[in-house]
Amino acid sequence: MGTDFGAFLSHVSDAIWAPMAYVVLGLGVLYSVATKGVQFRRIPDMLRQLKDSEGGEGGLSSFQALVLALASRVGVGSIAGVATAVGAGGPGALVWMAVTGLVGCTVGYAEATLSQTFKRQVLDEDRRSANEDIGGMPYYIKYGLKLPKVGALVAVLGVIGYGFVFPGLQVNTIAASAKLAFGLDSWIPAVLVTVLIALVIFGGTTRLVKVTQTLVPVLAIGYLLLALAVIGINIGSVPAAVALIFQSAVGIHPILGGIAGAAVAWGVRRAVFASSNGLGEATFAAAAARTSHPGKQGLVQTFSIYIDVLLICMATGLMMVVSGKYNVSDGSGGYLVNNIPGVPVGANWVQEAIDTLVPGWGAGFVAVAVLLFGFTCLLAYFYVANSNLLYLLDGRQGHGWKLVLKIGTMAIVFFGSVVNAQLMWAAGDIGLGLIAWVNLICLVFLFPLVRKIYRDYERQRKLGLDPTFDPKALGIEGADFWEKSVPVEHHHHHLLHSSHPTERTPGKP
């Protein structure tokens, strides 16, 4: 019964995800055309924004928001998810992952721009002490599309998913790789991660941001250097590997040509999954940054997708292909390529690749990487769940609800390492898929608005100005935060002395 039910859930999750990846890609193309390829033209602006944005006393800097968004993007998906794509779609899937990253990142641009536009001042002690703004998916659905009930639905799904389901997936992978590497029983990493998580989430947002800000850059750079070393030691096979990747991507490889369709499908799907692009996950971090124009944070988020898909996912994929440590399934139980017989798809392939560098070290390296990536991802998940809860509380105290969320997160982190992984992944995929569909449909309807904000940014840049945002001049309603803000230097002072009546949303949490 368990396996039948698991198989049933997997079918449901496939039905939700298979078309969605193409919707993200299609929307990415639409936004790329509408913004004349803003993701390529404005790379200098992205870098400048990361360098210049101080955040200061009001909210996070763009860099901190980027790191917080990256924490949720660079999870286990960037390691295990890439292996799944290569296993099901062949090495060619990597090309389609990269294409999806480059074209689809405008969806991330749109998400972040909207999050900034419709953010609010926080009515929560913890966020207020961190001087942080709040916003994200439910906010732009409520204020941008005037659909408070849909916003509330997304927020409820977000609290349940990010608070009580998705953390289990990360911990499950952490426990599996620790067992493989060090022979540890599942409960040992479970206790370790639960204690670490408790220390951070009971320490408040400020601590959460500090921990991710320190961990994520170190992790990403360390992982990339490791991948480069593996590629370096197998340098002789790089030309052949690159040829193989491109031939199988376009369907002209003698053995893998027949699965070019699978290469496209899996490349697109895993790129969306690994980068959470279009899933609304990074919208909450994007809203917390303090910037002078929503378009600026849109560019920063675009950059975070580059880092994840073009650097971390590609490093993982190249590491496996160059060292020959991967298999490709023929879709009916057999293999088109069977380089490492009997090694299950996932993080284990990366371990095999690292073993070509320092024999016997791969398992340990990957277990530690998965632990750290998974841990930062858990912090980002809690941040997302908490932001959704604050939306539902709408200015009310709700200490009881906040405690339930903290304890629930710790419980799923503890039990996530021991429950059936297949059931959990399928349930998690379905939950994430539902949130994503609502978000994507809303992004289609918000398209004219994003284009308007983008044009405003471009117009000011062409005049040589540092863009600032005035929603009234653009006829945008519901952007209360910006309507209240006077020139930036008075900004913080002004916000401390402004109060706005909280409106009641239909439906209690």
Side-chain angles (χ1 to χ4, degrees):
M1 152 66 202
T3 50
D4 290 351
F5 186 59
F8 168 71
L9 284 183
S10 296
H11 281 307
V12 174
S13 111
D14 277 348
I16 291 175
W17 277 89
M20 179 174 28
Y22 295 105
V23 173
V24 174
L25 197 56
L27 203 54
V29 170
L30 184 68
Y31 272 117
S32 296
V33 171
T35 60
K36 303 191 176 77
V38 71
Q39 69 268 47
F40 309 117
R41 284 188 303 109
R42 292 293 181 204
I43 289 175
D45 283 22
M46 294 176 195
L47 300 171
R48 190 177 308 119
Q49 178 62 18
L50 281 174
K51 195 173 93 262
D52 296 348
S53 156
E54 293 297 303
E57 39 181 1
L60 304 183
S61 69
S62 283
F63 175 72
Q64 288 171 319
L66 167 87
V67 168
L68 199 53
L70 261 179
S72 73
R73 290 199 158 122
V74 181
V76 175
S78 307
I79 300 179
V82 178
T84 320
V86 172
L94 295 173
V95 173
W96 295 106
M97 273 189 102
V99 168
T100 308
L102 285 168
V103 175
C105 62
T106 49
V107 176
Y109 170 85
E111 284 183 325
T113 302
L114 290 165
S115 304
Q116 272 289 330
T117 306
F118 296 107
K119 67 184 180 179
R120 291 283 179 272
Q121 267 309 103
V122 189
L123 303 167
D124 169 71
E125 305 77 15
D126 175 36
R127 292 277 171 100
R128 185 164 276 175
S129 64
N131 268 324
E132 216 177 281
D133 307 325
I134 191 167
M137 209 172 6
Y139 291 86
Y140 60 69
I141 293 173
K142 177 179 175 180
Y143 297 105
L145 281 177
K146 313 277 189 288
L147 295 173
K149 285 189 171 135
V150 180
L153 170 72
V154 165
V156 169
L157 285 172
V159 172
I160 297 169
Y162 289 98
F164 306 99
V165 182
F166 310 148
L169 307 178
Q170 299 284 340
V171 181
N172 207 293
T173 312
I174 291 172
S177 57
K179 188 172 180 109
L180 191 91
F182 311 117
L184 295 177
D185 286 335
S186 310
W187 66 269
I188 300 172
V191 171
L192 172 72
V193 178
T194 308
V195 170
L196 288 172
I197 282 285
L199 287 173
V200 182
I201 63 180
F202 281 100
T205 306
T206 325
R207 181 180 296 174
L208 199 142
V209 170
K210 282 208 171 78
V211 173
T212 46
Q213 192 183 342
T214 318
L215 265 179
V216 173
V218 173
L219 256 175
I221 292 166
Y223 187 72
L224 288 172
L225 290 173
L226 180 67
L228 283 173
V230 171
I231 294 165
I233 202 162
N234 294 291
I235 194 82
S237 39
V238 168
V242 171
L244 168 72
I245 289 170
F246 280 98
Q247 285 170 350
S248 67
V250 293
I252 56 173
H253 188 271
I255 302 170
L256 298 171
I259 59 163
V264 179
W266 281 96
V268 174
R269 186 167 159 178
R270 283 298 153 196
V272 170
F273 188 76
S275 65
S276 329
N277 190 14
L279 311 189
E281 200 166 278
T283 58
F284 301 94
R290 196 57 68 83
T291 171
S292 69
H293 193 287
K296 289 183 172 180
Q297 200 55 36
L299 290 171
V300 170
Q301 295 300 329
T302 309
F303 192 65
S304 77
I305 297 169
Y306 280 180
I307 296 175
D308 181 49
V309 177
L310 299 184
L311 286 175
I312 294 175
C313 291
M314 289 304 113
T316 304
L318 284 172
M319 201 157 44
M320 293 184 298
V321 177
V322 167
S323 60
K325 301 299 183 187
Y326 65 95
N327 302 326
V328 182
S329 114
D330 63 2
S332 50
Y335 289 96
L336 294 171
V337 176
N338 199 1
N339 291 337
I340 36 178
V343 180
V345 63
N348 305 16
W349 293 7
V350 183
Q351 295 173 351
E352 297 274 336
I354 294 169
D355 273 340
T356 62
L357 179 66
V358 190
W361 280 44
F365 257 117
V366 171
V368 173
V370 165
L371 169 69
L372 293 170
F373 277 141
F375 180 65
T376 54
C377 200
L378 289 172
L379 295 180
Y381 281 177
F382 177 76
Y383 185 86
V384 171
N386 191 34
S387 299
N388 279 304
L389 178 62
L390 292 178
Y391 169 87
L392 291 167
L393 288 172
D394 196 31
R396 288 167 294 211
Q397 291 288 326
H399 291 306
W401 288 108
K402 289 173 192 167
L403 192 62
V404 167
L405 177 62
K406 286 176 180 171
I407 290 168
T409 296
M410 286 161 59
I412 185 70
V413 165
F414 184 74
F415 291 113
S417 57
V418 285
V419 296
N420 173 332
Q422 190 202 0
L423 278 176
M424 203 136 162
W425 271 105
D429 262 354
I430 291 169
L432 199 57
L434 291 175
I435 297 175
W437 269 112
V438 176
N439 185 40
L440 288 167
I441 292 165
C442 292
L443 287 177
V444 172
F445 286 107
L446 287 162
F447 176 80
L449 198 66
V450 176
R451 195 170 52 184
K452 187 184 276 187
I453 298 165
Y454 151 80
R455 284 182 173 160
D456 179 58
Y457 177 88
E458 290 286 321
R459 179 185 60 78
Q460 296 186 49
R461 283 288 283 115
K462 286 199 179 86
L463 295 171
L465 304 168
D466 180 20
T468 52
F469 185 57
D470 178 2
K472 282 214 172 85
L474 295 174
I476 294 172
E477 292 171 22
D480 292 18
F481 176 91
W482 299 93
E483 285 174 15
K484 285 206 200 60
S485 56
V486 271
V488 176
E489 52 276 19
H490 308 296
H491 205 59
H492 186 61
H493 175 77
H494 179 76
L495 290 172
L496 286 178
H497 297 88
S498 77
S499 61
H500 58 92
T502 58
E503 41 192 56
R504 287 273 145 263
T505 31
K508 300 259 189 295

